[in-house]
Amino acid sequence: MDKRLSAQHMIPLVMALAYAPHVGHMPIWVSMFFVLLWALHLLSRDQRAEARGQKSEVRGLQKQRVIIPNTIANKRKATFGSNLQEGFISTRFIGFLRLPLAVFSLASVLLYWGGKLGPLPGTALLSLMLGIKALEISGYRDQVITLYTALFLLFVTVLFHQSLLMGVYILLASWVLLSALCALNSQQTRPALGTSGRILAQALPLALIFFLLFPRLPGSLFGLTQNPTTGRTGLSSTLSPGSISQLILSNAPAFRAQFQGQPPQRDKLYWRAAVLRKYDGQKWTPGHANIPWDHKELLPSADNDQDGYAVHIALEPHNSRMLPALDIPVFASEKTAIVPGQVLRAKKKITQAFAYELKSVPDFDWPSLSQAELRACLAINSQDNPRTQKALNAILPDQATARDKLQAIVQFFQDHDFTYTLSPPLLPQADPIDTFLLETRAGYCEHYAQAFVWMARAVGLPARIVVGYQGGEYNPLAEFILVRESDAHAWAEVWLPSRGWTRVDPTSFVAPARIELGARQIHPELYASPLWDTKGLNWMYSAWTQVNMAWDALNYSWGEWVIGYSNQKQTSLFSDLGLTTDIRDFLPQLILIALGIFLAFMLFLAVVLYISSHETQDPTQILYLRFQKKLQKAGIQPLAHEGPLDLAHRAGKIRPDLEAKMQQIISFYIAQRFGPTPSNQGLRQLRKKVQRFRPGKG
């Protein structure tokens, strides 16, 4: 039996484990190419195994000198020769295919990605070449190269996925892959799994030490990561009826916010992401083309020393530059900017996890309204929605002030029977505000926000829509607020000369529970299985909620301290340990700490290996060593190169009186140590013979 047979059987499994995380972001033709070539490898391996089996059978008959009839011999020879010829032709044909396939792979990657370089095309080329490697695995060297390449392909996964679950997967897959490497020198897979597991367990403490203490470059650990799908689609910078109500069906996390101190009440958690000014009768857009973007002029009171809320936000990728910020942001960390409308923007699209700091104040001192902003926030088509305009004229008092006009619109929503629903009737393209306010009166937050803003503009109040998120779920385990896509929300801002931009949320007039409790509480049927209620399993739902909170807390810690472990966090860790921020000042202490940890680890490893070696030592070998010690006392010194039979022969010449006893012990030892069926009874007999052996001195 080939001692590398177990490793050969593990290689296809290892290839599947290494490539599996890349299936979601690789083109389908790359995956099909990879699977097809490894399927050919399995078929050719079975064919070669069959040919080797027939060859071994012929050799066995020849060694046994078995005489068989010529007809049978010729038949076996013909069959073996046919299989061998098929294997030879297949090998030649496969060898001929390797170069064209390699050229095809390189050309396909260059054409598909337009000659661009990056993690995604590089990973695709590596996967294709690893597939081609399946056609030439013929020996130990090829197997080792293939396994190491697969290990590299597995670790490339961190360029695309950095979740805690993927980290656990990579660790387990690495264990299997290292087991395959160990199995190359073993006849069995189970001992290889144990050996590789011990290697990983011994390496993890050192890896943790280097991860925490090794000087880091600016930026996060995975600063070169690339989300292959360019992020999920979340909140949009445009608004039309139904756009936000689609997000409420998503339970995916949008971001996590951690406050320095006590966070605001839930009904105060308004996370602004975009300001919409332009309305074309169907859709709202930012419409800021003619508005100056020098945000310094718009932030005369943006002082980081103001009283407010300091917030750390860990944002999920969403393929946009929008950064949610608690009303109203006045300061943000680097790589971000506060733009008109007091909203945050990143320098590039968020296609991977992104963390940033901000400072928000609830009572912001707004600067004066620019003429461009004033025109944009008053623009409506005076010919649209005539019935709404007539209703507004009826409710406005004579010589109404801005506050009077605002109060009249608020009163309109409070006095009429509006319904908050995720499935409102469709609105016509012509005069949709009329239909909504005076006929259907059923809708979601975007319906109420756009109707309110249109009404405010119709009476001469500058108004705009703000989209973002409202609320969030507090996680007491990690002390952060989880905001989901289902918390997406839209509200209005109205300009009052005495206060500046004033938030008005018309949804709170219609469905106050949405603001006080959240969308998940007023629409539980969208998130919880009916099983919890119909079978009285509320306790199970509560337990499941606690499990989700614990898992989310682990994910948050993973993102903060593993994925986001930057040089700033390392400096903070050193400060907590009493070390200075300049590495040159505490380098001697750092070296001593690292040396002490290393020596402690090596001592622990030595103890483990010592215990392990004594636990796994063969009891038969222990008895043989004891027998050799007794021979030494009798003046017979065993030689290092001497086998048991040679030792018995030489010792018999020196002590003929002990020859028979020594031959018995050696016979039991050989049978127990090298025989096909060692038994407990044989071990007991050997122990008894060794105990009774008393050579004395000759």
Side-chain angles (χ1 to χ4, degrees):
M1 180 179 181
D2 186 1
K3 70 177 182 178
R4 300 186 183 98
L5 185 60
S6 59
Q8 292 176 357
H9 283 82
M10 289 183 69
I11 286 178
L13 171 63
V14 168
M15 295 302 108
L17 291 175
Y19 185 75
H22 300 285
V23 172
H25 54 261
M26 281 291 127
I28 184 64
W29 59 270
V30 174
S31 299
M32 292 179 63
F33 186 90
F34 185 87
V35 172
L36 176 62
L37 291 183
W38 277 101
L40 288 176
H41 165 77
L42 291 175
L43 293 176
S44 62
R45 186 192 68 183
D46 293 341
Q47 180 181 349
R48 291 193 300 268
E50 181 180 356
R52 284 196 303 268
Q54 293 183 2
K55 187 175 181 180
S56 299
E57 181 182 358
V58 172
R59 287 180 176 176
L61 293 175
Q62 291 175 350
K63 288 182 178 180
Q64 298 173 19
R65 299 181 180 181
V66 176
I67 301 176
I68 56 177
N70 291 333
T71 55
I72 298 178
N74 292 336
K75 184 177 180 180
R76 289 186 176 179
K77 183 177 180 181
T79 303
F80 169 67
S82 175
N83 287 342
L84 189 60
Q85 186 179 11
E86 289 176 5
F88 174 72
I89 294 175
S90 299
T91 303
R92 287 184 57 188
F93 180 68
I94 289 174
F96 172 77
L97 280 180
R98 288 199 297 265
L99 181 58
L101 286 176
V103 175
F104 166 79
S105 300
L106 180 59
S108 299
V109 170
L110 292 175
L111 290 174
Y112 187 85
W113 277 279
K116 295 180 180 179
L117 301 178
L120 199 55
T123 304
L125 183 61
L126 178 64
S127 302
L128 295 173
M129 294 304 174
L130 189 58
I132 297 174
K133 186 65 179 175
L135 303 180
E136 61 174 8
I137 299 179
S138 58
Y140 175 79
R141 178 177 178 273
D142 290 329
Q143 293 174 7
V144 172
I145 292 175
T146 302
L147 289 175
Y148 277 118
T149 307
L151 186 63
F152 182 75
L153 180 64
L154 177 65
F155 288 158
V156 166
T157 306
V158 301
L159 296 178
F160 308 102
H161 306 286
Q162 302 95 37
S163 66
L164 173 60
L165 193 60
M166 185 56 67
V168 174
Y169 175 86
I170 292 175
L171 180 62
L172 295 177
S174 301
W175 181 23
V176 177
L177 199 148
L178 291 176
S179 300
L181 285 170
C182 293
L184 286 175
N185 299 292
S186 173
Q187 293 184 0
Q188 297 178 348
T189 303
R190 185 174 297 178
L193 285 170
T195 301
S196 60
R198 288 191 296 271
I199 292 174
L200 280 176
Q202 294 163 7
L204 283 177
L206 285 178
L208 179 61
I209 293 171
F210 282 116
F211 177 81
L212 293 175
L213 301 182
F214 194 83
R216 312 189 71 80
L217 297 174
S220 63
L221 173 63
F222 302 102
L224 298 177
T225 55
Q226 172 179 319
N227 192 309
T229 57
T230 65
R232 57 175 172 77
T233 300
L235 194 67
S236 174
S237 59
T238 63
L239 181 70
S240 58
S243 59
I244 289 185
S245 59
Q246 294 174 359
L247 286 178
I248 198 173
L249 302 177
S250 173
N251 203 31
F255 62 91
R256 296 167 180 86
Q258 194 167 37
F259 286 80
Q260 292 183 9
Q262 189 69 22
Q265 296 295 323
R266 181 187 178 88
D267 59 352
K268 305 297 182 183
L269 292 174
Y270 281 83
W271 310 91
R272 64 195 297 118
V275 172
L276 312 180
R277 306 169 181 85
K278 186 178 179 180
Y279 180 56
D280 61 4
Q282 296 295 323
K283 182 172 65 175
W284 292 82
T285 57
H288 46 55
N290 297 321
I291 298 175
W293 277 80
D294 186 2
H295 66 274
K296 293 181 180 179
E297 297 181 0
L298 301 175
L299 299 175
S301 60
D303 184 2
N304 191 30
D305 293 332
Q306 286 181 270
D307 292 334
Y309 297 101
V311 191
H312 171 82
I313 293 182
L315 181 66
E316 296 292 327
H318 55 71
N319 195 31
S320 170
R321 293 176 58 237
M322 293 189 300
L323 301 176
L326 184 69
D327 265 356
I328 300 291
V330 296
F331 173 81
S333 57
E334 58 180 345
K335 298 183 180 180
T336 66
I338 301 179
V339 299
Q342 290 302 116
V343 291
L344 261 61
R345 289 292 178 267
K347 293 183 178 180
K348 58 182 180 180
K349 290 185 177 181
I350 306 300
T351 57
Q352 60 184 11
F354 184 76
Y356 55 99
E357 313 285 337
L358 63 92
K359 181 117 180 238
S360 299
V361 293
D363 298 323
F364 181 65
D365 185 12
W366 289 96
S368 59
L369 193 62
S370 67
Q371 290 299 314
E373 182 84 359
L374 178 63
R375 288 192 301 270
C377 295
L378 282 174
I380 60 170
N381 189 342
S382 59
Q383 303 300 319
D384 292 344
N385 306 301
R387 290 188 293 162
T388 299
Q389 297 191 47
K390 183 178 180 180
L392 286 171
N393 293 331
I395 63 174
L396 286 179
D398 296 335
Q399 299 180 348
T401 64
R403 286 187 175 275
D404 294 336
K405 294 176 181 179
L406 178 60
Q407 183 58 39
I409 299 174
V410 171
Q411 196 65 41
F412 178 86
F413 279 90
Q414 292 176 339
D415 291 344
H416 293 82
D417 188 16
F418 286 93
T419 303
Y420 181 82
T421 176
L422 295 179
S423 304
L426 293 177
L427 298 177
Q429 292 188 355
D431 302 327
I433 305 297
D434 278 352
T435 304
F436 172 71
L437 290 176
L438 303 174
E439 295 180 19
T440 62
R441 291 178 176 170
Y444 195 57
C445 63
E446 63 262 39
H447 295 83
Y448 294 102
Q450 76 166 358
F452 192 94
V453 169
W454 198 95
M455 294 174 73
R457 292 184 179 186
V459 298
L461 292 176
R464 60 193 186 185
I465 293 178
V466 182
V467 294
Y469 300 89
Q470 197 285 320
E473 181 182 6
Y474 182 71
N475 189 320
L477 299 177
E479 298 182 340
F480 64 81
I481 293 176
L482 171 63
V483 180
R484 303 178 185 272
E485 293 294 350
S486 56
D487 295 313
H489 194 54
W491 60 93
E493 282 186 341
V494 178
W495 178 268
L496 297 177
S498 59
R499 293 188 55 186
W501 288 110
T502 303
R503 181 176 67 230
V504 182
D505 190 353
T507 303
S508 64
F509 310 144
V510 179
R514 163 63 185 88
I515 309 303
E516 297 170 1
L517 302 177
R520 290 167 58 84
Q521 298 299 324
I522 63 175
H523 299 292
E525 70 280 359
L526 299 178
Y527 310 103
S529 170
L531 178 67
W532 311 124
D533 295 328
T534 56
K535 296 187 178 182
L537 299 178
N538 291 324
W539 63 271
M540 188 176 292
Y541 175 70
S542 178
W544 180 247
T545 302
Q546 295 299 318
V547 170
N548 281 335
M549 280 192 175
W551 177 250
D552 197 58
L554 284 175
N555 272 300
Y556 179 75
S557 300
W558 171 267
E560 288 295 301
W561 289 102
V562 178
I563 305 302
Y565 187 65
S566 60
N567 61 333
Q568 292 89 352
K569 289 193 174 181
Q570 188 181 55
T571 302
S572 176
L573 176 63
F574 289 160
S575 299
D576 294 339
L577 295 175
L579 304 175
T580 60
T581 57
D582 190 346
I583 190 172
R584 292 173 297 181
D585 295 338
F586 63 85
L587 187 58
Q589 299 97 308
L590 183 60
I591 293 176
L592 289 176
I593 292 174
L595 184 60
I597 295 175
F598 177 76
L599 291 177
F601 174 75
M602 294 304 295
L603 179 61
F604 169 76
L605 183 60
V607 172
V608 171
L609 291 177
Y610 177 80
I611 296 175
S612 176
S613 63
H614 279 68
E615 287 179 350
T616 58
Q617 193 170 8
D618 188 356
T620 303
Q621 185 66 17
I622 294 175
L623 293 175
Y624 183 68
L625 293 175
R626 191 179 301 169
F627 168 69
Q628 287 182 326
K629 288 182 179 180
K630 290 188 176 184
L631 288 179
Q632 292 176 359
K633 293 180 180 179
I636 303 174
Q637 184 68 32
L639 303 177
H641 64 275
E642 199 172 35
L645 290 177
D646 292 337
L647 175 62
H649 180 70
R650 184 170 62 86
K653 291 182 178 180
I654 299 174
R655 293 289 299 274
D657 57 314
L658 300 175
E659 183 176 6
K661 294 182 179 180
M662 290 188 293
Q663 288 290 350
Q664 288 181 353
I665 293 176
I666 294 298
S667 298
F668 277 111
Y669 168 72
I670 292 176
Q672 189 68 18
R673 177 75 171 174
F674 306 106
T677 56
S679 63
N680 293 331
Q681 182 179 359
L683 182 63
R684 286 194 297 269
Q685 290 178 345
L686 176 62
R687 182 180 293 109
K688 186 182 298 184
K689 294 290 183 181
V690 172
Q691 289 175 349
R692 293 179 178 178
F693 181 69
R694 293 182 175 86
K697 292 186 179 181

